[in-house]
Amino acid sequence: PHMAGVPLAKLAALAIKTLSKPVAKGIKSRVITYPALRGGCIQLGQMSHRIMANVTILAAGHTRSRIQVKPLEESDALNRGTELISEAFIFTVAGGTIVWEYARTQEKNRLKEVKKAAQEQEYRDYAHAHIGRLEAQVAEMEAQLARVEASLGELAERKGRGASGKGGGGGGAAAEGTA
C-alpha cells in the first residue's frame, strides 16, 4: 500500500525507530526503580567499563597485567548500565525493522518471480496449444490434399480410359462418317 507514492511500510518502520528512543528512555528510568534490575545494571555498567578500559589500554600498547581498572562509582555504573540497556533496545528495534524490511523485500521479490514463472508457463501452455491447433490444421489440410490428389487421379484415370476407348474405337468416328 502506498499513500501518494510514499510506502506506508517504510513510514511505519521509521515511526517505530523514532518511538523506540522515548521508550528506551522510559525503560532506563524504570530500571532504576526496581532493585533487582538496578543491581544488574550496575554490574552491566561495571563490566562495560572494564571492557572499554581494557580495550583502550591494549590499543595504547600496554599489557593488561600492568594496569588495574578502577571500578566506577555506583551511580556512574548504574548510569552506564542503563545507557547500555537503552542503546541495546534502540539497536534491537532498528535491527528488527531492518530485518523486517529485508524479509518484506525478499517476499516481494519471491512473489514477482512466482508471477513471472506463472506468466512464462502460461505463455508456454498457450504456445503448445497453438502449435497443437496448427498441427491439427496441417493434418486436416494434408488429408484434404490427399483426397484432392485421389480425385485428380481418378479423373485422370477416367480421362485416360475415355481417351483410350475413343482411340481404340477411332474407327468408330470414321465408320460413322462413312455410313
Side-chain angles (χ1 to χ4, degrees):
H2 287 15
M3 179 180 75
V6 178
L8 292 178
K10 293 223 182 246
L11 284 175
L14 180 61
I16 289 169
K17 286 179 191 176
T18 303
L19 290 174
S20 70
K21 291 175 184 172
V23 169
K25 284 183 182 179
I27 290 171
K28 187 177 173 180
S29 66
R30 286 216 173 123
V31 163
I32 294 171
T33 61
Y34 292 102
L37 295 177
R38 182 182 171 92
C41 281
I42 291 170
Q43 287 178 349
L44 185 62
Q46 292 292 4
M47 183 178 67
S48 170
H49 170 66
R50 281 190 305 275
I51 290 170
M52 293 306 293
N54 283 325
V55 167
T56 304
I57 291 166
L58 291 172
H62 301 286
T63 60
R64 191 170 164 258
S65 61
R66 283 193 273 154
I67 299 174
Q68 198 60 283
V69 177
K70 182 181 173 186
L72 291 173
E73 293 287 326
E74 187 175 294
S75 62
D76 290 339
L78 178 61
N79 190 33
R80 182 172 263 185
T82 57
E83 191 66 34
L84 194 59
I85 288 174
S86 175
E87 291 298 321
F89 176 77
I90 292 170
F91 179 80
T92 302
V93 169
T97 56
I98 289 169
V99 168
W100 174 75
E101 287 175 5
Y102 176 78
R104 204 174 121 262
T105 301
Q106 291 298 100
E107 180 63 12
K108 283 172 72 175
N109 289 340
R110 187 189 68 77
L111 290 176
K112 279 182 189 176
E113 288 298 318
V114 166
K115 184 178 179 181
K116 181 180 175 185
Q119 287 172 337
E120 288 172 354
Q121 184 61 45
E122 185 179 323
Y123 178 74
R124 279 192 297 275
D125 292 346
Y126 170 78
H128 287 298
H130 190 66
I131 289 170
R133 287 191 299 274
L134 291 175
E135 287 173 341
Q137 287 176 347
V138 167
E140 178 59 33
M141 291 174 139
E142 286 174 342
Q144 287 176 353
L145 180 61
R147 288 192 296 270
V148 167
E149 286 176 340
S151 295
L152 286 175
E154 288 176 17
L155 283 174
E157 193 177 303
R158 281 188 208 155
K159 188 176 181 184
R161 273 189 269 144
S164 64
K166 288 181 182 177
E176 283 178 28
T178 52

